[in-house]
Amino acid sequence: MARMPSAERRRQLTEAAIRAMARDGVAKTTTRAIAAEAGVSLSVFHYCFDSKQALVESVITTITDHYVTLVKEALRPRATLEDTVRAGFQAYWDHVRTHPDEHMLTYELTQYALRQPGFEHLARRQHEMYGEAYTHLIEQLRAGRDLRLRVPVTVLARYLAAMTDGLTLNYLVLGDEAAWTGVLDTVTAHIASLVMADGPDAAPGPPPDRAPG
Amino acid sequence: MARMPSAERRRQLTEAAIRAMARDGVAKTTTRAIAAEAGVSLSVFHYCFDSKQALVESVITTITDHYVTLVKEALRPRATLEDTVRAGFQAYWDHVRTHPDEHMLTYELTQYALRQPGFEHLARRQHEMYGEAYTHLIEQLRAGRDLRLRVPVTVLARYLAAMTDGLTLNYLVLGDEAAWTGVLDTVTAHIASLVMADGPDAAPGPPPDRAPG
DNA sequence: GTCTATAGGAAGATAGAC
DNA sequence: GTCTATCTTCCTATAGAC
């Protein structure tokens, strides 16, 4: 086979591992399967990575970075505030629908990391970056307009990240796209109601939007 | 060891498997580990279950039923509408905080089911039952009072189920309980705003709560 | 740096005595 | 129904030639 510097081989093996894991699941993706997917022999794998764990670490950091880039692209500011929220969800949603296996993989890797002693920080980093992506968006929106938030930025960002995560997993399990237009509209409206132009920032106290009685 | 009818042995092994899987993760829980946890020999395992897959199927259905019972208990109606929502989340949340491993396991089992050919229906059943638990609550609330919903019941139930799921996973990964009071208040207020006393039901059209501009 | 060959171990499942 | 002992397979990782 063609010779190649170690760094590039590592990238090649990492990408192959992501493809194989997205297709077959983490549990079934052995080192042999990864080497075969990359078109190299098993020994090349162990020449580039000390262990399977070392490769998985590379996989998690790589896919987290991919994912965050995706979210940040999807969530760029648009003409109006509601457009931004709606178009952002739409772009993200299109990616979920067209690449369900990749998203599935992110959930599997989260749990792999949480169960593997010494890897917990990778799972935390993953979810912290989701929150940061949303925080970044909110800050952009605040800079462009004169926005006031009804809830603190950290709360809103975390809420958005958790909700996106939950909705995605729910879709991956249940499918049924038709049911989603309603849910997405509800969510979009809620977000818009939490981010308003021209009002005082919320004090860190009781929540807004109380229902009558 | 003491003799025992097959049905009871199956229950014993299923419970042992749940304990071991919650503690060590699904991937690391071998048939040997389950037999040891139950205090029986490996052959007893295969006497009661044709294969490891058969046991996992029993584990998934058992834990799903446990979980749904928990949610339905947490979500029983209270004095006022907002109390119901708030107390329900509180009860659910206390369980998550005190039994994180069990909740972790439910996520692992979802993915196991989705990746195992022929087991997809177990994952679907799991999430359908979450939605049904919320649907049940909403119907109870509607019966007791003269409630009108701003969104269709199916949409609201699915939204609640997905959001609970996302928030739980986010907590399992990031911990940080302090950050959660804000998020929960926001969510509680949102739900209350979607379920109002004395108003017309929402037509299946554009969402409420539009933000200015 | 890449290969073939293999060590070494752990997994799921079975055989057959009691 | 339960046990001990074992089969078979597949895994991660290494050895050593090229």
Side-chain angles (χ1 to χ4, degrees), chain B residues 1 3 9 41 43-44 47:
Chain B
M1 281 293 156
R3 301 234 163 175
R9 268 270 182 268
S41 81
S43 292
V44 172
Y47 179 80

Side-chain angles (χ1 to χ4, degrees), chain A residues 20-83:
Chain A
M21 287 176 169
R23 187 180 60 236
D24 304 322
V26 171
K28 286 181 186 159
T29 302
T30 65
T31 54
R32 283 172 158 81
I34 297 165
E37 177 78 26
V40 300
S41 81
L42 183 56
S43 292
V44 172
F45 178 97
H46 276 102
Y47 178 80
C48 295
F49 291 98
D50 284 350
S51 66
K52 190 184 181 180
Q53 275 207 14
L55 169 101
V56 175
E57 177 164 358
S58 171
V59 164
I60 294 177
T61 57
T62 300
I63 210 170
T64 300
D65 292 349
H66 281 179
Y67 192 97
V68 167
T69 301
L70 160 72
V71 170
K72 282 200 175 162
E73 296 245 334
L75 296 181
R76 70 172 179 280
R78 321 253 172 176
T80 73
L81 191 136
E82 211 175 4
D83 277 355

Side-chain angles (χ1 to χ4, degrees), chain B residues 14 72 121:
Chain B
T14 302
K72 283 200 175 161
H121 71 283

Side-chain angles (χ1 to χ4, degrees), chain B residues 1-160:
Chain B
M1 281 293 156
R3 301 234 163 175
M4 189 177 292
S6 259
E8 192 169 345
R9 268 270 182 268
R10 284 173 64 97
R11 272 198 297 278
Q12 182 189 0
L13 282 164
T14 302
E15 298 292 337
I18 291 174
R19 281 197 305 276
M21 287 176 171
R23 187 182 59 236
D24 304 323
V26 172
K28 285 179 186 159
T29 302
T30 66
T31 54
R32 286 173 160 81
I34 296 166
E37 177 79 26
V40 301
S41 81
L42 182 56
S43 292
V44 172
F45 177 97
H46 276 102
Y47 179 80
C48 295
F49 291 99
D50 284 349
S51 65
K52 190 184 182 181
Q53 274 207 14
L55 169 101
V56 176
E57 178 163 359
S58 171
V59 164
I60 295 178
T61 57
T62 301
I63 210 170
T64 299
D65 293 348
H66 281 178
Y67 192 97
V68 167
T69 301
L70 160 72
V71 170
K72 283 200 175 161
E73 296 246 333
L75 295 182
R76 70 172 179 279
R78 321 253 173 175
T80 72
L81 190 137
E82 211 175 3
D83 277 355
T84 302
V85 175
R86 198 181 299 276
F89 268 112
Q90 195 60 51
Y92 172 78
W93 203 248
D94 285 344
H95 192 275
V96 172
R97 277 187 355 217
T98 51
H99 304 81
D101 287 349
E102 274 183 38
H103 288 265
M104 185 77 146
L105 177 54
T106 64
Y107 291 94
E108 288 186 84
L109 291 174
T110 299
Q111 305 195 347
Y112 181 97
L114 287 176
R115 288 296 195 183
Q116 204 74 28
F119 274 50
E120 303 90 345
H121 71 283
L122 292 174
R124 276 201 300 274
R125 185 177 99 97
Q126 193 184 14
H127 277 72
E128 277 164 4
M129 288 180 83
Y130 297 172
E132 282 168 22
Y134 280 107
T135 301
H136 183 246
L137 168 73
I138 296 168
E139 296 297 351
Q140 274 187 306
L141 289 176
R142 283 165 69 92
R145 281 159 259 252
D146 190 28
L147 288 184
R148 296 291 184 273
L149 301 183
R150 288 186 170 178
V151 294
V153 176
T154 55
V155 170
L156 181 56
R158 190 158 188 174
Y159 169 72
L160 291 174

